[in-house]
Amino acid sequence: MTTKTLDIRDIMDLLPHRYPFLLIDRVVELDEEGGRVVAIKNVTYNEPQFTGHFPEVPVMPGVLIVEAMAQACAIVALSRLPEGVDRKNSLFYFAGIDKARFKRVVQPGDQMEIEGKFLRSKMGLGLFEAVVRVDGKVAASAELMCAYRPVPERQAS
């Protein structure tokens, strides 16, 4: 098993997301062969969602926790593409969420550790399971589906 780490520049080379929607800060383990990733999201009060969710008691929205899980799983999915496929011109679209559970509140100052695992491919979809932990305790979990698509070429204007 060969694992590697990715810094923010490596992540930005893989994922198309940018501020304020890039929700992965670092990858501490990427096992391409085993289809597993462990990523970090540092939650800070400076993020735009906290101005309204909720001003007096800031809470990381569940949809953004799920999106962080999806981005971590997209890193696994992209790393597993066959040789010769242009990763820079490939996207994985979110196709479904099952069994989403939220066990504890995530707040500014928390560090989300996101573990994503590739389970299988089914009818052109990748199926993954993901768990978010804060201080070693499960904060959220879900099964995620994504669909691979090459980036559409732009029409000449």
Side-chain angles (χ1 to χ4, degrees), residues 38-96:
V38 178
I40 300 295
K41 161 66 177 140
N42 295 302
V43 181
T44 71
Y45 187 72
N46 295 325
E47 297 174 47
Q49 66 270 14
F50 295 124
T51 58
H53 198 270
F54 303 101
E56 299 300 316
V57 183
V59 173
M60 184 73 162
V63 295
L64 293 181
I65 294 171
V66 171
E67 176 63 25
M69 288 190 271
Q71 289 181 21
C73 290
I75 289 170
V76 172
L78 286 163
S79 75
R80 293 177 56 84
L81 286 173
E83 284 294 319
V85 174
D86 183 3
R87 287 177 173 83
K88 291 206 184 270
N89 287 307
S90 299
L91 286 176
F92 281 89
Y93 290 100
F94 214 166

Side-chain angles (χ1 to χ4, degrees), residues 2 11 13 16 18 20 24 31 39 42 49 56 69 75-76 81 88 90 92 97 116 123 129 141 144 146 148 157:
T2 303
I11 293 164
D13 279 346
R18 295 296 180 263
I24 302 295
D31 175 7
N42 295 302
Q49 66 270 14
E56 299 300 316
M69 288 190 271
I75 289 170
V76 172
L81 286 173
K88 291 206 184 270
S90 299
F92 281 89
I97 308 165
M123 299 186 314
E129 67 180 12
S141 61
L144 310 172
C146 63
Y148 167 76
S157 32

Side-chain angles (χ1 to χ4, degrees), residues 16 19 37 51 54 57 61 67 73 82 88 93 102 106 113 124 128-129 131 135 137-138 142-143 149 153 155:
Y19 176 86
V37 66
T51 58
F54 303 101
V57 183
E67 176 63 25
C73 290
K88 291 206 184 270
Y93 290 100
F102 301 93
V106 177
E113 181 184 81
F128 299 82
E129 67 180 12
V131 176
D135 295 329
K137 297 179 184 123
V138 174
E143 286 185 1
R149 299 289 183 271
E153 292 188 30
Q155 300 284 329

